[in-house]
């Protein structure tokens, strides 16, 4: 009995220590999130969210946790879950539970446990979802159609999730309004480009202990994420390559100074390849033949399957851990190295996006769910109103001590002014 009591006490001590660590991490985020902790906190505290159940399903680390606390402080009943089984932080989970919040995720899980966590979140019957990749939204439709039919709104974080919601809407299967937070300028212009560009390369360098100056870095996909990756790699002295199937984006990458071509042309030259498509199997079975010996493969897109690790394992004669966070596959006479198991490398292999950028992204999400709760919107996919998007930027600029001029009357185009006022041309 004494031994069991000691073991219980030890477990409680470890949990308490984890909770203190998580609380410190969340507090660090708070002190560097002037928009979320100021302007957004004030805006959402008008009673619109009081008593509403809001499921927050984004990578469950300190920045997400702070968003959850802001919503909880506004009176929402928050359910926290993770959008990927490999990116949940144990200390953050402990801190939120210590606070009394419903958390249906645990660190160290796999895809089976993650599916159960998402179903548990759906079973909590949320009124609103702040989603990442529409993962909970889709599971709710499948697992709890009764809850799905009663959902009052979803605010979606990613390009992938936005595409999924638009497909559901086009098929007539979206009975509630959904905001594509990803399409807000204060999200994709900063989060997708600058944050992912910086933190993905930071994680790659930390995991590999390799040099980037002079290295040949290939990016698959040239949306906002791909642009940020190529921008940062080039600025750090890398020779940059882009593989893109969209001809306009490919032309843009060429004009930006990157070498553009097909996978067959680019992959054999690359020392590191980073996927940024938001789709499936950006590096798939058909591409393995083009990969050079000692190449590093990392994923900066939504799906863990952007790098097809199952195809690599099937082709390999040996699979081994060459360094912490790096799985190596021996295929013929080549060793191919995958970072963080193919999960989002900047989170699973790093610290995630910078706090300052997530202050913007989660300001969009916080105001987004508040907009859903306080505004009558038709079912379908909507974009955050420009006025709200602008207000976030204004608050961020103010936190830097920056004020802007307003357009004077004599600077306006008379024809445009008359059209805006509804007058004759």
């Amino acid at each position: 009995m004494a031994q069991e009591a000691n073991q219980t006490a030890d477990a409680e001590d470890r949990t308490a220590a984890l909770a203190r660590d998580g609380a410190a991490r969340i507090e660090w985020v708070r002190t560097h999130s002037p928009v979320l902790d100021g302007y957004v906190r004030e805006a959402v505290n008008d009673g619109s969210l009081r008593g509403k159940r809001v499921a927050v399903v984004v990578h469950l680390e300190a920045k997400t946790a702070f968003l959850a606390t802001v919503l909880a402080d506004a009176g929402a009943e928050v359910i926290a879950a993770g959008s990927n089984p490999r990116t949940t932080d144990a200390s953050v989970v402990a801190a939120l539970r210590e606070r009394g919040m419903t958390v249906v995720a645990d660190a160290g899980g796999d895809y089976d446990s993650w599916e159960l966590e998402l179903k548990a979140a759906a079973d909590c019957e949320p009124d609103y979802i702040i989603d990442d990749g529409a993962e909970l939204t889709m599971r709710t439709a499948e697992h709890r159609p009764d809850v799905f039919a009663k959902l009052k709104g979803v605010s979606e974080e990613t390009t992938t999730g936005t595409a999924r919601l638009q497909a559901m809407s086009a098929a007539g299967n979206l009975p509630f309004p959904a905001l594509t937070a990803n399409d807000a300028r204060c999200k994709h212009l900063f989060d997708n480009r600058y944050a992912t560009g910086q933190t993905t390369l930071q994680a790659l360098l930390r995991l590999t202990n390799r040099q980037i100056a002079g290295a040949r870095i290939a990016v698959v996909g040239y949306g906002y994420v791909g642009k940020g990756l190529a921008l940062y790699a080039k600025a750090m002295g890398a020779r940059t390559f882009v593989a893109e199937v969209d001809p306009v984006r490919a032309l843009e990458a060429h004009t930006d100074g990157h070498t553009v071509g097909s996978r067959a042309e680019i992959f054999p030259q690359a020392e590191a390849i980073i996927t940024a498509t938001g789709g499936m199997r950006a590096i798939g079975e058909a591409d393995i033949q083009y990969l050079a010996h000692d190449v590093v493969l990392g994923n900066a897109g939504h799906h863990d399957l952007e790098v097809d690790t199952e195809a690599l394992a099937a082709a390999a004669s040996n699979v081994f851990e060459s360094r912490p966070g790096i799985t190596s596959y021996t295929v013929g006479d080549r060793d191919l190295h995958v970072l963080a198991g193919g999960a989002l490398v900047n989170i699973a292999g790093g610290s995630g996006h910078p706090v300052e950028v997530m202050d913007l992204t989660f300001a969009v999400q916080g105001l987004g769910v508040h907009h859903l709760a306080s505004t009558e919107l038709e079912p379908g996919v909507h974009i955050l109103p420009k006025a709200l998007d602008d207000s976030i930027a204004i608050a961020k600029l103010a936190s830097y001590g920056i004020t802007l001029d307003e357009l004077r009357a004599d600077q306006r185009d008379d024809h445009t002014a008359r059209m805006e006022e509804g007058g004759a041309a």
Side-chain angles (χ1 to χ4, degrees):
M1 293 290 291
Q3 183 178 3
E4 291 179 1
N6 288 336
Q7 289 175 341
T8 300
D10 288 344
E12 290 175 350
D13 288 345
R14 287 193 296 271
T15 300
L18 267 179
R20 287 193 297 271
D21 178 38
R25 292 170 185 261
I26 296 168
E27 175 61 16
W28 176 264
V29 173
R30 187 196 68 76
T31 61
H32 294 86
S33 301
V35 180
L36 194 55
D37 194 39
Y39 170 61
V40 174
R41 184 184 288 281
E42 182 178 349
V44 302
N45 199 31
D46 64 351
S48 298
L49 294 176
R50 189 171 298 121
K52 304 295 193 301
R53 288 187 297 275
V54 180
V56 178
V57 189
V58 188
H59 300 283
L60 193 46
E61 43 89 52
K63 296 177 283 288
T64 303
F66 181 58
L67 169 64
T69 67
V70 169
L71 298 176
D73 289 344
E77 298 176 16
V78 178
I79 304 110
S83 60
N84 188 295
R86 295 173 176 170
T87 57
T88 295
D89 186 300
S91 68
V92 166
V93 169
L96 291 180
R97 285 177 175 158
E98 178 75 17
R99 179 189 166 100
M101 196 174 295
T102 301
V103 183
V104 296
D106 284 293
D110 56 20
Y111 285 97
D112 290 335
S113 63
W114 178 57
E115 287 287 344
L116 293 175
E117 291 168 358
L118 291 177
K119 289 178 179 178
D123 287 340
C124 291
E125 301 187 8
D127 298 305
Y128 300 94
I129 298 174
I130 292 178
D131 216 344
D132 187 317
E135 299 292 0
L136 179 56
T137 303
M138 293 191 306
R139 267 58 169 209
T140 304
E142 178 182 0
H143 170 64
R144 289 295 303 271
D146 58 321
V147 175
F148 183 80
K150 293 185 293 184
L151 273 173
K152 297 176 181 177
V154 169
S155 185
E156 169 55 41
E157 179 94 352
T158 67
T159 306
T160 300
T162 296
R164 287 171 167 176
L165 289 170
Q166 288 171 337
M168 294 169 69
S169 181
N173 296 326
L174 196 69
F176 49 79
L179 281 179
T180 168
N182 184 73
D183 286 350
R185 292 169 300 155
C186 278
K187 196 279 183 180
H188 67 256
L189 289 177
F190 304 94
D191 181 313
N192 297 31
R193 180 168 49 177
Y194 296 109
T196 308
Q198 173 184 317
T199 58
T200 297
L201 292 173
Q202 284 176 329
L204 183 151
L205 296 175
R206 185 185 74 82
L207 291 171
T208 64
N209 194 33
R210 300 284 292 275
Q211 176 176 302
I212 193 169
R216 297 183 298 278
I217 308 292
V219 176
V220 186
Y222 204 67
Y224 282 106
V225 171
K227 291 173 189 175
L229 290 166
L231 170 72
Y232 273 90
K234 192 178 186 69
M236 296 173 73
R239 296 169 58 191
T240 49
F241 301 78
V242 171
E244 173 59 78
V245 296
D246 183 287
V248 175
R249 287 181 175 178
L251 182 59
E252 184 180 12
H254 170 79
T255 308
D256 286 342
H258 311 297
T259 300
V260 179
S262 66
R263 287 167 168 79
E265 295 169 323
I266 285 174
F267 283 6
Q269 303 179 65
E271 297 170 77
I273 305 173
I274 307 171
T275 60
T277 67
M280 309 284 278
R281 301 176 188 85
I283 300 176
E285 181 181 4
D287 305 308
I288 295 174
Q289 61 182 314
Y290 303 128
L291 302 176
H293 169 64
D294 205 36
V295 69
V296 172
L297 307 176
N299 172 31
H302 176 74
H303 291 289
D304 285 4
L305 286 178
E306 289 214 26
V307 179
D308 192 344
T309 54
E310 291 183 2
L312 284 170
S317 59
N318 188 27
V319 180
F320 58 99
E321 298 297 311
S322 50
R323 276 175 62 90
I326 301 180
T327 305
S328 298
Y329 299 81
T330 302
V331 180
D333 59 355
R334 298 169 294 154
D335 286 334
L336 315 174
H337 312 295
V338 176
L339 303 179
L344 278 171
V345 68
N346 63 330
I347 303 178
S351 299
H353 284 358
V355 180
E356 295 89 346
V357 173
M358 292 311 296
D359 187 30
L360 292 171
T361 294
F362 284 154
V364 170
Q365 288 285 38
L367 291 183
V369 74
H370 177 264
H371 184 64
L372 289 167
S374 59
T375 308
E376 290 291 333
L377 296 174
E378 293 295 321
V381 180
H382 303 263
I383 297 175
L384 189 75
K386 182 179 181 297
L388 286 178
D389 208 354
D390 286 350
S391 72
I392 294 169
I394 291 168
K396 192 68 168 180
L397 289 167
S399 75
Y400 295 139
I402 298 172
T403 57
L404 305 179
D405 291 326
E406 293 186 4
L407 198 64
R408 301 193 311 266
D410 65 312
Q411 293 173 318
R412 300 187 61 174
D413 181 282
D414 291 338
H415 178 79
T416 302
R418 286 196 299 272
M419 295 299 291
E420 288 177 350
E421 293 167 3

